């Protein structure tokens, strides 16, 4: 029986140990850097790998991301041939859909404007529009984008979306392909990014996309900081092309004190808190993947290392 390595600067191994041990009483969970004999490690649970990589663990059968995303693992640097899985967790999914609904409603009901006006003691009434007259576009219609689309639909919004493969989702006008993103963006007044960060999607929130959006639209980035071409955002806001942005993820986190995104009334910064998984709810799939890895079976929620997500 091998041992499981736990390596994260964000997650608490002692939150994971009890629910995992309940399901796998003989589990040996070793927390980086106190992992003992590297040859005994057969599975790694990782948010970010250690600086020296995972190459020293010669008997690895699986790498389990502690997040829904895997870009922070840098797939190109992981030992070749070792399967990688990510988390798909109901708690995380619900929290993400909730955050995106909140961001959409805040713009839809002009709360962003009233927040500014209340600081200025300015009484300015805007007639509320029905949600059915507001279109929200979602980049990425996977687990999180799909759940967000459902939540927005339930709250009356019109929803359009874009993904790599064409989708048939009831009540969601879906687009794919290189031009599909711009066709979708032109229809939406609020664009929410829920793509994974891959070489194909890096920098995709850029001037070309903002130009395709309707004047006075809003951007919500909950994917990754690397999706946003940062230098394109402030000109788009200053020119009125975009009316506001909600940013939860950044190229460098925490966001540096001197970063120009801080303090602007048209940018809401949140500290990568849109959603997070729960050890209790995610432990069953992690334990199941440890069993599968040891039995040489395909993992649940296995990442396609060639596609990068
Ligand atoms: P999924 O893998 O389930 O979905 C990804 C979606 O993006 C799919 O619809 C996929 O298309 C689409 N996609 C991928 N590449 C492209 C491309 N090149 N062009 C068009 N569409 C593409 O991921 P999740 O929904 O679970 O998670 C999405 C991301 O959310 C994570 O990778 C992570 O970065 C971020 N995240 C952020 C959190 C936060 O707190 N801010 C928390 C958790 C996750 P197809 O369906 O055709 O494969
Ligand atoms: C994730 C995240 O990928 O929290 O799970 O960003």
């Amino acid at each position: 029986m091998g041992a499981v390595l736990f390596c994260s600067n964000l997650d608490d191994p002692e939150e994971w140990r009890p629910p995992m041990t309940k399901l796998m009483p003989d589990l040996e969970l070793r927390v980086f850097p106190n992992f003992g004999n590297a040859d005994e490690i057969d599975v790694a649970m990782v948010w970010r790998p250690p600086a020296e990589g995972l190459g020293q663990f010669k008997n690895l059968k699986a790498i389990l991301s502690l997040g829904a995303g895997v870009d922070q693992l840098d797939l190109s640097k992981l030992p070749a041939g070792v399967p990688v899985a990510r988390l798909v967790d109901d708690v995380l999914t619900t929290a993400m859909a909730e955050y995106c609904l909140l961001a959409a409603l805040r713009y839809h009901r002009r709360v962003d404007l009233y927040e500014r006006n209340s600081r200025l003691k300015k009484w300015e009434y805007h007639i509320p529009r029905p949600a059915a007259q507001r279109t929200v576009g979602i980049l990425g219609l996977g687990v999180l984008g799909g759940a967000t689309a459902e939540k927005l639909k339930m709250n009356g919004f019109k929803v359009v979306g874009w993904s790599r493969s064409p989708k048939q989702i009831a009540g969601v006008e879906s687009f794919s392909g290189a031009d599909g993103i711009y066709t979708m963006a032109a229809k939406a007044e609020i664009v929410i990014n829920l793509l994974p960060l891959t070489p194909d999607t890096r920098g995709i929130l850029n001037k070309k996309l903002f130009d395709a959006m309707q004047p006075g639209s809003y951007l919500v980035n909950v994917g990754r900081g690397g999706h946003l071409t940062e230098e394109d955002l402030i000109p788009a806001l200053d020119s009125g092309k975009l009316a506001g942005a909600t940013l939860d993820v950044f190229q460098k986190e925490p966001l540096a004190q001197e970063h120009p995104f801080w303090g602007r009334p048209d940018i809401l910064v949140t500290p990568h808190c849109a959603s997070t998984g729960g050890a209790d709810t995610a432990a069953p799939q992690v334990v199941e993947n440890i069993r599968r890895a040891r039995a040489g079976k395909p993992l649940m929620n296995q990442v396609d290392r060639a596609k990068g997500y």
Side-chain angles (χ1 to χ4, degrees):
M1 171 75 69
V4 176
L5 174 75
F6 190 99
C7 180
S8 172
N9 58 337
L10 293 180
D11 305 270
D12 180 357
E14 299 319 318
E15 271 181 27
W16 287 83
R17 196 185 297 277
M20 288 179 69
T21 306
K22 203 166 160 193
L23 299 165
M24 185 175 256
D26 54 356
L27 170 78
E28 215 186 303
L29 192 65
R30 299 189 190 165
V31 180
F32 187 88
N34 301 314
F35 50 79
N37 181 351
D39 291 346
E40 289 168 6
I41 301 291
D42 63 352
V43 175
M45 294 171 67
V46 186
W47 168 249
R48 241 179 243 288
E52 58 274 39
L54 293 172
Q56 62 181 308
F57 304 105
K58 302 280 179 250
N59 296 317
L60 267 193
K61 296 187 173 77
I63 298 165
L64 309 180
S65 171
L66 282 163
V70 292
D71 54 287
Q72 69 282 354
L73 296 173
D74 193 348
L75 297 176
S76 67
K77 296 208 177 107
L78 297 182
V82 179
V84 177
R86 67 194 194 92
L87 285 187
V88 174
D89 173 36
D90 285 350
V91 170
L92 185 151
T93 303
T94 303
M96 180 58 85
E98 196 176 87
Y99 179 103
C100 293
L101 174 65
L102 175 71
L105 282 171
R106 176 169 171 266
Y107 290 134
H108 169 61
R109 293 303 307 263
R110 307 306 319 268
V111 173
D112 60 322
L113 181 69
Y114 297 134
E115 283 164 358
R116 283 182 239 177
N117 285 352
S118 70
R119 278 181 209 110
L120 301 170
K121 304 183 184 177
K122 188 169 163 193
W123 185 273
E124 184 184 86
Y125 181 83
H126 291 266
I127 298 173
R129 270 164 59 186
Q133 289 175 16
R134 184 87 66 185
T135 302
V136 183
I138 304 178
L139 303 178
L141 289 171
V143 173
L144 302 180
T148 298
E150 291 302 327
K151 188 81 126 193
L152 290 165
K153 268 195 315 178
M154 266 162 38
N155 283 274
F157 288 101
K158 281 210 224 157
V159 182
V160 295
W162 181 71
S163 51
R164 181 198 283 260
S165 53
K167 297 270 182 278
Q168 301 281 341
I169 306 175
V172 178
E173 195 183 355
S174 303
F175 299 85
S176 59
D179 292 336
I181 185 171
Y182 303 110
T183 315
M184 190 222 80
K187 291 177 179 263
E189 287 176 86
I190 302 169
V191 169
I192 299 177
N193 174 45
L194 271 166
L195 290 165
L197 184 62
T198 68
D200 290 338
T201 64
R202 184 171 290 281
I204 201 162
L205 308 177
N206 56 24
K207 181 173 185 308
K208 189 169 177 199
L209 181 74
F210 304 151
D211 284 347
M213 289 160 67
Q214 295 174 27
S217 299
Y218 299 93
L219 175 73
V220 178
N221 186 20
V222 273
R224 286 288 186 257
H227 286 126
L228 177 63
T229 302
E230 289 200 350
E231 61 273 23
D232 289 354
L233 181 63
I234 288 178
L237 289 165
D238 286 345
S239 68
K241 186 71 212 173
L242 293 182
T246 296
L247 307 176
D248 183 55
V249 283
F250 303 89
Q251 287 179 12
K252 195 163 180 314
E253 296 176 4
L255 189 63
Q257 285 297 304
E258 63 280 8
H259 200 287
F261 290 169
W262 286 116
R264 283 185 67 107
D266 49 6
I267 297 182
L268 177 65
V269 169
T270 61
H272 199 146
C273 63
S275 76
T276 186
D280 285 342
T281 46
Q285 72 186 269
V286 171
V287 168
E288 172 62 19
N289 270 342
I290 295 170
R291 292 207 170 95
R292 288 185 184 208
R294 288 177 177 163
K297 294 186 184 159
L299 305 179
M300 288 169 72
N301 309 315
Q302 188 161 327
V303 168
D304 180 335
R305 288 186 60 167
K307 278 205 246 168
Y309 69 100

